[in-house]
Structures are given as C-alpha cells and as structure tokens.
Amino acid sequence: MIVRDGQVLARGRNLGRTNGDPTAHGEMIAIRRCLADHGTAALQGSTLYTSGEPCVMCMGAILWCRIGRLVFAASVQQIAAKMDEIMISSADVAAKARFVPITITGGVLADEALRLFAKPVERLSPAKSRRGGSDPSSKVLSAVPQWVSWQGGRADRLLSV
C-alpha cells in the first residue's frame, strides 16, 4: 500500500502466479497503479507499507521511484523459512544507493503478517502444475490485500508507525 499525507494512493498484491508474471509482486503492482493514477510526483516522498520485506527487484523500484519511507512486517529471513527468498535485505540494497534517502522500518506486526505467507510445501513439478495441480500458497498470498486493510483499528496501528 502506498500512502502520502495520510491518503492511500494505491494498493497492490502479489499477482505473479495469477498473471504468470514473475515481476508482479505486491510492491510492483502498487507502484504501477500509483503511477497510472497519480503520476511520478506522487511517489516521491511517499510511504510504502508491505507485509514482507521487499525483494531486490522491488527495493530497486522503490529507490528509483524515490519513495521516502518503507515499512514492512516480516523480514527476508523470516519469509525464507516459509518460501524461496533472495537473501539480501532492503537495507543492504538501500546502502548501495546512497543518493536516494529512505527511512526503513521493519518488523511491524511481523508475527501477524507471517501467517499470510505459505508454509513449506512440496514443490510441484512443472509437468504436474500444467496438469492442474494447485499451489496451496496461492490462497495464502491472496490474503495480502486484507493485511493492508484490516478491520478493528489494526490498519491505524500500522499507519501510525
């Protein structure tokens, strides 16, 4: 979710499996939607909230868009216990781009967010997947939009971080 001046500009969720697009991570979808609806200037200095620490690809996009603040729940290390993950933190990527100031806050509601990520599952072979085998993690990942729009004040807790 991308927020600027208390207003939600865009939301995104992981659509990689749904769209067959490995770049369709939630952060990328939110950035694309924000660009389409509000233009480049809206991203500059905004805050991006996400259930999982951004991967290297997403963090690169966050930096190039000049997003000013990143708030994430589960860390790369925590997510790696549940699914495949490139083991490079967002802080490590940001440290290599010193020309882009960004504030990073991690671990916000991490335990709650971790429940959204898939538990280790037996990997389907490409042949089985083409025959209609289902990936149980897709149901869990589809819950991400609910994480960024909780009821009962939890979103307020997140947005106040």
Side-chain angles (χ1 to χ4, degrees), residues 71-111:
V71 179
F72 66 85
S75 70
V76 166
Q77 292 78 15
Q78 291 171 311
I79 297 167
K82 304 237 178 203
M83 58 195 299
D84 293 338
E85 203 49 39
I86 297 172
M87 300 301 293
I88 301 174
S89 73
S90 53
D92 288 344
V93 176
K96 302 293 184 184
R98 297 178 194 265
F99 58 92
V100 182
I102 187 166
T103 302
I104 300 172
T105 305
V108 178
L109 303 173
D111 291 336

Side-chain angles (χ1 to χ4, degrees), residues 144-156:
V144 172
Q146 286 77 36
W147 185 83
V148 297
S149 59
W150 281 319
Q151 301 299 315
R154 289 185 182 172
D156 293 336

Side-chain angles (χ1 to χ4, degrees), residues 14-22 24 83 118 121 123 135-138 141:
N14 292 322
L15 296 173
R17 289 187 179 101
T18 303
N19 293 352
D21 177 358
M83 58 195 299
V121 295
R123 299 273 180 216
D135 180 355
S137 67
S138 63
L141 293 175

